[in-house]
Amino acid sequence: MGTTAETLLAHLPIAIIVIPLAGAVACFVLPRAARALMAVLGIAGTVASGWLAADVLEHGARGYVVGGWAPPLGIALHADGLAAALVALTAVLMTVCGSLARPRRSGDAFFTSWLFAWAALAVVFLSDDAFNVYVGLELLGIASVALVASPGTRPALHAALRYLAAGLTGSLLYLLGAALLYASEGTLSFAGLEDAGGAPAAAALAFMTVGLLLKCAVFPLHGWLPGAHGCAPAPASAVLSGVVVKSGIYLIWRLWSDTLFGVPADAAANLLGALGVGALLWGAAMAWRAERLKIVIAYSTVSQLGYLVMAVPLLRTAGVEALAGVMLLAAAHAFAKAGCFLAAGAVLARRRSDRLETLAGLVSQMPIAAFALGVGTVSLVGLPPSGGFAGKWLLIQASFAVHAWWWAAVFIAGSLLSAAVLIRALAPAFEAAPADCASRAERAGASEWTALAIALGALALGPLAGPWTSLVTEGSIP
Amino acid sequence: MGIDAAALLLDVTLAATVVALGWRCVITADRFETVAVFIGISLVMAIAWTRLEAPDLALAEAALGAGLNGALLLAAWAETRGIEDGPAERRIAGPALLAATTMAVAGAGLAPLVGAEAGLAAEIAARLDQTGVSYPVTAVLVDFRALDTLLELCVLLAALAATWQLGAARPLLRGKLYGPVFVAYVRIALPLLVVLAAALLWRGATSPGGAFQAGATLAAAGVLLLLVNPAGRVPALSWAYRICASLGVLAFLGLGTGVTAVTGRFLDWPLSHAGALVLVAETAATVAIATTLALLVVGGRPVAQRGRVGKRH
Amino acid sequence: MNSIPDVLGALLVFAGTAFAVLGTVGLLRFPDPMSRLHALTKADGTGLGLCVAGLSLIARDVSAAMLMILLWLGVMLSGATAAHLVARRLLARQESAGGN
Amino acid sequence: MTSAGFVIYATAGVALIGAGAFGLARARDALRRIVAINVAALGVLTTMVALAARGGGEADPVTHAMVLTGLVVSASATALALALVRRMAHLRGEEDADGHDG
């Protein structure tokens, strides 16, 4: 038993990339079997990702040298706790949300894009190579655009085109940075870039960071996000908000803490923190003005991404404690947001509209969807016992530990803002149903129950904060 | 000395032409001029790249930038005539500031690199005999960084899948090119292009060339083949297209997994059979690239047409 | 160094360049599309042919010369076909304009 | 290629990046935006080709591989973007036609 399991374990990092890739090609070649393939490979990918996470938790980080050529000549994969945690989160959300997808007609293209996006996320999280990550980001961008465009309506196509233009520009800036790094340091491996320095490295860091901020929609480069996440089918919105935008944030964390470049970058890190505060406020303000439920949820993502960017200066000073907090926040947001989008999708499917005034009577007619939205809100606002609460708590502790109490003040203010925004949006749900609607509760479908289950995941992260934190910080960056 | 001065003059002229065209392209108010000038930039750029010891990249740039994207840009221009988005563009200050900042940061990053040397050319040259090919760029693409190439083939496939879900293909140019002269031309050009593609693929192991150049050439042949058709219809060969377009990813995944059993690493070609395995993978990639690029030019899912072709404008 | 083939080759390349320049002038100066098409295809084909002949003399390498001649033939073939297609389209447009 | 050549072509590359940034920030029309991004992409790739050749003698193969990959990847993305533009124009045409008929 030992040897076979050991061999399999050794190949897990690449298997986690290869499984969805194989699934994507299979869906393309065998369009009729796409749904079945998606289910089978989803389970296989989830098992592999879970196993990797368990192994990293127990035995520490695991590497893999692709093609037998160690860096700098070849490409290595590196699964530390942070990467393994994100890969596992991706696998769960991709599989669960994917099982709910009901693509319009070209299901093969939808599932091909879905699995390509999954594989690309795994590449971005696991790869140790700056250029390999670029190709992964491009694959992720094109696959995500395909998911946004899949309804085929003009607003969806318009949003997809904007998303594609932003993504293309972002990866171009990233590519310029990677080229500068290679030209000055002679390697593309993140591990080999730890003591990169000088003007080329500083310019590279600037280009890559701006490119990634654009790709993950951090204020003020967030313009494409509400349209794209608001127009995509609900399961796609769930993973786009839940994990796809986080791939860019993850790379920013790595660039700013792992490879410090010897740049006197603390001032720049504080600038990133300020952008985070801007995102928090602006996202909340726009969500306050939005009239459609999915747009409210999308702007809430803009707002919540602010926390993850605000953590950059804290990661540099407070280290592991801040990382634990921000990853808990990221995971809780992924579950809560996926649950909210799926619930909104169920509402949209049932009522043909997700305008806020049409939510009236939701609590009595679609109690499960309403409950999912409520549970998601609890975590997004950061009330105990949710993962959102635990994450904010750790971050506040971390900011006090390094005497940066102003960050704590921002986190608390952000919670109040989120509460105001989300409660305003959901308030009509508690009103009585209009007279012309049947007042009987309708039977909840699979999508509503799934939405609730995923949203409850965000609550469960609170009590589970301990193991999650020890996984995330295993062999990790700061 | 005379030769050096002439070369310098040539380089400065080429560079200045490209830059002037680049600015002209984004400043002009005429959308057609934007597209036409962009195609011109791609062609001049290809010449500039041959000056920088990159003939194979120049070939790929001419085929993809001027050829594939040029054709698509012209099609998009023709179909969006008269429905320009948004009002006239008057903003100058903000864009100029953005451009100046970008150029300043890039210049500051590049300046220290003049005369500095960093790279892996020597290490790669020293290990070429362990790769099964003897041209360094091909060795990097199919051996040292084969994972990049696998993902790149996936990007092509993802773009094709995304394009197909947008709707059915419409007839290519509605057969406007069809005629005796064009048919005679295709009869001569098609075999030449196929031979050229095979030569590029084969030469890639030892000298500039390889799967991408061969694939782009073969794609041009494929587009010609699709154009020799009175109605401009794209044959609905769904299965054949799907398999051909996936062939590259399938080969890299299949062979890459297969060799894992022998060498213990994904995509680690066993030395004894490296040459043959790489050739198989590259041939599959060539077919896939050619199919995908040609179908991207078509720009939609090729489906069987019933009765009349498309909607007349 | 300056042997007769070299000098002859240089002269041919120079002449070829002159043709190309003239073709470009024609493209910019001629009044209607048809005559512009003439300037482009005829002058460029001749210019490229002269350049290929001159470079073949200078290179003194049969295989390189053959390759260049093959390229020249390819350019001529494509240029002539493209010119024909453009001209045909122009004629069709003129006819339909005359018909109205 | 000498360092003079590197300076010349890297400058041209940076100038093209600037042109692309200018055009992208200024354009409202989707087609122009796509062209502007491609101009900037050509600038980035030219800078990379110049960087690869700066040592003189044989060019750096890793950079060349990166350029080739970048070229194919950005061409695919551009093809998808143009397919979206064409599809939107087509849908708009259909809607207009429906509007006039009805």
Side-chain angles (χ1 to χ4, degrees), chain A residues 125-330:
Chain A
F125 291 140
L126 291 173
S127 181
D128 170 57
D129 185 280
F131 186 73
N132 193 237
V133 164
Y134 161 78
V135 189
L137 283 174
E138 285 282 23
L139 182 58
L140 180 60
I142 288 185
S144 309
V145 165
L147 294 178
V148 172
S150 64
T153 57
R154 263 180 67 197
L157 297 185
H158 188 80
L161 190 58
R162 251 190 110 176
Y163 184 16
L164 181 56
L168 206 50
T169 312
S171 40
L172 204 56
L173 289 167
Y174 181 92
L175 174 63
L176 182 58
L180 279 169
L181 279 182
Y182 175 72
S184 73
E185 308 298 325
T187 178
L188 287 159
S189 155
F190 284 128
L193 286 169
E194 265 170 5
D195 39 272
L205 184 60
F207 281 129
M208 292 166 105
T209 306
V210 174
L212 291 168
L213 289 176
L214 184 56
K215 266 189 164 304
C216 57
V218 172
F219 173 85
L221 304 173
H222 63 278
W224 58 265
L225 185 141
H229 290 192
C231 287
S237 303
V239 294
L240 290 176
S241 261
V243 279
V244 170
V245 285
K246 281 173 191 107
S247 62
I249 303 265
Y250 163 79
L251 288 172
I252 290 178
W253 291 345
R254 276 192 79 154
L255 286 176
W256 284 80
S257 57
D258 200 8
T259 53
L260 287 173
F261 294 102
V263 180
D266 279 336
N270 283 328
L271 181 66
L272 279 179
L275 287 185
V277 177
L280 190 67
L281 299 176
W282 184 257
M286 295 310 284
W288 181 263
R289 293 179 49 190
E291 288 170 353
R292 282 179 45 207
L293 182 57
K294 279 182 86 175
I295 302 291
V296 171
I297 304 176
Y299 270 116
S300 153
T301 298
V302 172
S303 181
Q304 297 269 330
L305 285 172
Y307 291 123
L308 307 186
V309 183
M310 255 189 270
V312 170
L314 273 178
L315 281 175
R316 295 169 65 91
T317 48
V320 173
E321 206 166 320
L323 182 68
V326 77
M327 267 300 287
L328 201 51
L329 207 53

Side-chain angles (χ1 to χ4, degrees), chain B residues 42-312:
Chain B
S42 301
L43 290 174
V44 181
M45 192 59 92
I47 302 174
W49 286 7
T50 61
R51 294 281 307 143
L52 290 165
E53 324 284 335
D56 43 347
L57 302 185
L59 188 59
E61 162 58 18
L64 292 177
L68 167 76
N69 282 344
L72 285 173
L73 278 169
L74 284 171
W77 166 77
E79 287 167 24
T80 55
R81 245 187 305 185
I83 47 173
E84 233 178 290
D85 312 341
E89 294 138 5
R90 293 234 176 79
R91 293 172 295 164
I92 294 286
L97 187 66
L98 179 71
T101 316
T102 315
M103 290 195 288
V105 176
L110 284 166
L113 296 174
V114 180
E117 274 256 34
L120 299 167
E123 285 92 329
I124 282 170
R127 290 172 183 78
L128 265 187
D129 54 345
Q130 300 168 39
T131 62
V133 292
S134 59
Y135 182 58
V137 179
T138 308
V140 172
L141 284 170
V142 298
D143 198 332
F144 294 108
R145 304 181 62 90
L147 184 60
D148 282 346
T149 306
L150 166 60
L151 289 174
E152 176 188 359
L153 291 167
C154 292
V155 170
L156 272 168
L157 195 60
L160 183 65
T163 309
W164 275 11
Q165 76 170 357
L166 296 178
R170 276 169 293 155
L172 274 179
L173 294 173
R174 276 172 282 158
K176 273 180 193 152
L177 297 185
Y178 188 78
V181 175
F182 186 66
V183 170
Y185 170 70
V186 173
R187 282 213 176 105
I188 303 172
L190 204 61
L192 279 179
L193 284 172
V194 174
V195 171
L196 179 62
L200 281 169
L201 176 64
W202 182 254
R203 278 168 55 101
T206 53
S207 53
F212 290 100
Q213 289 81 4
T217 313
L218 208 54
V223 172
L224 281 184
L225 200 58
L226 292 175
L227 284 171
V228 188
N229 177 331
R233 282 183 207 182
V234 182
L237 303 170
S238 183
W239 283 98
Y241 293 144
R242 282 174 192 275
I243 289 171
C244 286
S246 321
L247 217 50
V249 183
L250 286 174
F252 269 82
L253 278 181
L255 294 177
T257 312
V259 297
T260 312
V262 182
T263 56
R265 291 285 172 201
F266 184 68
L267 284 173
D268 185 1
W269 312 116
L271 196 51
S272 50
H273 297 87
L277 287 171
V278 163
L279 187 64
V280 172
E282 279 221 288
T283 309
T286 303
V287 173
I289 292 165
T291 314
T292 313
L293 292 179
L295 290 172
L296 282 175
V297 171
V298 171
R301 183 190 294 260
V303 291
Q305 305 275 348
R306 278 160 293 142
R308 279 182 52 193
V309 180
K311 219 174 166 177
R312 294 292 157 108

Side-chain angles (χ1 to χ4, degrees), chain D residues 26-50:
Chain D
R26 194 159 164 263
R28 292 183 185 280
D29 171 40
L31 189 67
R32 285 166 170 284
R33 284 185 176 208
I34 294 169
V35 172
I37 294 174
N38 272 284
V39 169
L42 267 182
V44 171
L45 295 176
T46 300
T47 310
M48 290 169 74
V49 177

